[in-house]
Amino acid sequence: MVAVSLKKKIYKTIIVGAGISGLTIANELISSGYSKDDILILEATDRSGGLIRTSKKNGYLNEAGPEGLRGNQENSYRIFEFAHLEPVEVSEDSKIRYLVHKGKLKKVPGGPISAITSPLIPFLGKLRLFKEPFVKPHNENETVEKFMERRLGKGILPIIDAFVSGIHGGDHTKLSIEHAFTSLKEFERDRGSIIRGALASSKRNKQIVKEKGIKPKTKAKPPFLITSKTGMMGLIEGLVKNVNIKYSSPVTDVLFDDEEFLVKTSTQEYHATKVIIASGVNSVQKMNINSETPPSETLESYVSIVALGFDESAFAKPIKGYGFLSPSKENTFILGGLYTSRLFKEHSPKGKVLLRCFVGGFRNPQNASLPDEEMVTNVLSDLKELVKVNGNTEFIDIWRNDSNGIPQMLMEHQKYLDWKYEMEGKYNGLYLMGVGWHNISCSGLINEAVKLVEHLRNEKGEIIE
């Protein structure tokens, strides 16, 4: 089909991608003085939200992506203001976490005192933790495994293994600490210790939230997570109402000439003074950016979500907590599970329990593509052992994220960032961001988007044209 050139309108900004990054940028620009008509979002699919998807069936609310936004982040509340929504706070159960240890669930230490008595860390490993503030910093990049072993000792590695699988669906022996967990490396670099750095960061975040007048409804301090009454997709729908989006418009070309961008889809052409490609690290493979050659696609991890609903009576004893993760040495079918209805009571009918279980990842990628019945059978087998449920499900919902993987920030990730910086330096007004460049978490992507718009403001608080 021949591209049809529209009557020339020059947008101040074209944003590629209507995920949380693109929607945050658009709403921030409008808040900074742009009109809605100054901005156009081009979305390749027929929906907004990217990795964020929410289903509601039979009174159960199930998320395909993140369960919520970090409650100790100023920008999380800012996004809710843009969406004209009141955040729902996570319950106190979120403080209780479990790890599979020798086939049973054991509480993850919440601090140095509980770490001393925890069976999850061997005795010598516990002693080794006290050495962390005195370990000499290293400047070079390392795998997550080597970094954590150097700073905290081998005893902590099963917890790190499970933690990395739960967040990235990844392998702690392959991910880069510099890129996958940038803040930990920065704690070492800036404070000489990840413990001192974490304490300083927590104190700083609490102070920012306090200064901004953000007052949690039910807690003395900000909650771990916040969401909307209708889940994360409710937040996306609120952000979408403020902006212009053209769906089913995959971008094929981004061309720069004479201080102006020409953006092409398969059927239309658009002009802009700025282009922000907010669709993530691998999206640049699908478009021609002034005939530049990007690095090859980064590897992605695919995780399927199996959500199961039960009556409370199906459990030998009531479950409590955030959920659990399983280290690879435990050889469980599932990577872990969230006690969703214990976090947000609105996510299940009264008297019912909703569990969200994660399957696949880098550890067992084949498990994520098993037939529904086989996948559910294996998940239930683990749950019967771990949470003592009788297996009589009242609700089953499966999200297969086979087209939306989690980019893996491996040791060679710097080559992607070097290319990004080169493109942004070469073409004034071009910005590359979204999942997989610097962040994979929803809150991290929001913070990155807000910082970009802050960068675009001049001293008078106006957006630089």
Side-chain angles (χ1 to χ4, degrees), residues 389-404:
V389 65
N390 63 25
N392 295 326
T393 58
E394 296 187 355
F395 170 78
I396 298 173
D397 191 26
I398 298 175
W399 283 115
R400 293 183 180 273
N401 293 313
D402 47 9
S403 60
N404 288 314

Side-chain angles (χ1 to χ4, degrees), residues 165 168-170 301-304 335 359-368:
S165 289
H168 287 258
S301 172
Y302 298 92
V303 177
S304 291
L335 303 175
V359 175
F362 247 49
R363 186 190 301 176
N364 298 115
Q366 70 283 356
N367 290 348

Side-chain angles (χ1 to χ4, degrees), residues 159-201:
I159 296 177
I160 301 304
D161 170 24
F163 183 69
V164 170
S165 289
I167 294 177
H168 287 258
D171 183 343
H172 70 307
T173 69
K174 293 181 171 59
L175 291 185
S176 156
I177 190 69
E178 185 77 58
H179 301 110
F181 294 95
T182 305
S183 60
L184 294 181
K185 189 63 178 178
E186 288 178 346
F187 291 160
E188 179 187 51
R189 188 178 293 122
D190 298 341
R191 297 277 179 168
S193 161
I194 57 177
I195 292 176
R196 286 197 296 267
L199 291 172
S201 176

Side-chain angles (χ1 to χ4, degrees), residues 5 91 101 137 147-148 160 180 220 248 270 296 324 340 342 358 362:
S5 181
S91 74
H101 179 69
F147 174 85
M148 298 305 291
I160 301 304
S248 301
Y270 305 91
S296 58
F324 63 90
T340 300
R342 292 298 181 255
F358 308 101
F362 247 49

Side-chain angles (χ1 to χ4, degrees), residues 13 28-29 32-34 274 453-454 456-458 461-465:
T13 302
E28 279 286 352
L29 288 172
S32 298
Y34 274 22
K274 288 189 188 68
V453 178
E454 288 176 350
L456 295 175
R457 292 193 183 102
N458 63 20
E462 300 165 338
I463 295 295
I464 303 172
E465 300 296 345

Side-chain angles (χ1 to χ4, degrees), residues 71 77 80 85-90 92 209 213-223 225-229 346:
Y77 295 88
F80 274 86
L85 294 173
E86 283 291 325
V88 175
E89 298 174 359
V90 75
E92 290 293 312
V209 170
I214 299 170
K215 298 179 180 179
K217 294 178 182 178
T218 59
K219 304 175 181 65
K221 61 180 182 180
L225 291 176
I226 55 176
T227 187
S228 81
K229 285 185 178 180
E346 299 85 357

